[in-house]
Amino acid sequence: TSKFKKVVLILIAGSVIFTLFLFICSFVPSLRIISDTFTKNPVISIVGALIGLVIATLFLISDFDTIHNAVENHLPKEYEWLCSYTLAFSIMWVFLKVFQLIARLKGSSSSKF
C-alpha cells in the first residue's frame, strides 16, 4: 500500500540522516564520543546492522510490489529497466547488510577470546 511505502521511505530517510549525523560527529572532537558509542559498541552495532537489514528487506518488498504494478498496468518497456535496476540495487543492499551483520557478529565473538 502507499502507507507501507511512506513508512519505508521515512525509515530510509531516517537512517541516512542518522548516518550523516554520526559521520559529522566523528570529525568533531567533542562529539566523537557519540559516534564511538554507536560504532565501537558491539551490541549497538549488531542492532544497527539488524535494523539496516530489516529496512533493506522492506525496500525489497516494496520493489516487488512496484514490479507487480508495472506488469499489471502494462507500462512501457522503459519502466522494465527501472524496475530491474531498483530490484538489483535492493538485492545488493540486502547482501551488503547481511555481510555487515556477519562481520559484526564475527568481530564481537572474536573479541571475547
Side-chain angles (χ1 to χ4, degrees):
T1 63
S2 64
K3 191 173 189 179
F4 177 77
K5 289 183 180 183
K6 286 179 186 176
V7 168
V8 170
L9 289 176
I10 289 171
L11 288 173
I12 291 170
S15 68
V16 167
I17 290 169
F18 185 70
T19 303
L20 287 174
F21 172 73
L22 288 180
F23 181 71
I24 291 169
C25 286
S26 68
F27 287 115
V28 179
S30 61
L31 298 176
R32 191 167 293 143
I33 191 166
I34 296 172
S35 66
D36 287 346
T37 301
F38 286 99
T39 56
K40 294 185 179 177
N41 187 342
V43 175
I44 294 175
S45 65
I46 290 171
V47 170
L50 281 172
I51 290 171
L53 182 61
V54 168
I55 292 172
T57 306
L58 291 175
F59 202 78
L60 190 64
I61 292 169
S62 176
D63 286 342
F64 283 128
D65 182 55
T66 302
I67 292 169
H68 176 73
N69 289 336
V71 170
E72 289 291 318
N73 295 328
H74 304 289
L75 294 179
K77 294 281 185 185
E78 293 84 23
Y79 291 104
E80 290 178 5
W81 284 103
L82 179 64
C83 291
S84 66
Y85 285 137
T86 59
L87 182 64
F89 175 79
S90 296
I91 290 171
M92 287 188 297
W93 190 16
V94 168
F95 278 136
L96 287 174
K97 288 300 176 181
V98 167
F99 292 147
Q100 181 186 17
L101 181 62
I102 291 170
R104 303 286 175 154
L105 288 172
K106 182 71 175 165
S108 67
S109 66
S110 65
S111 65
K112 293 179 184 176
F113 296 111

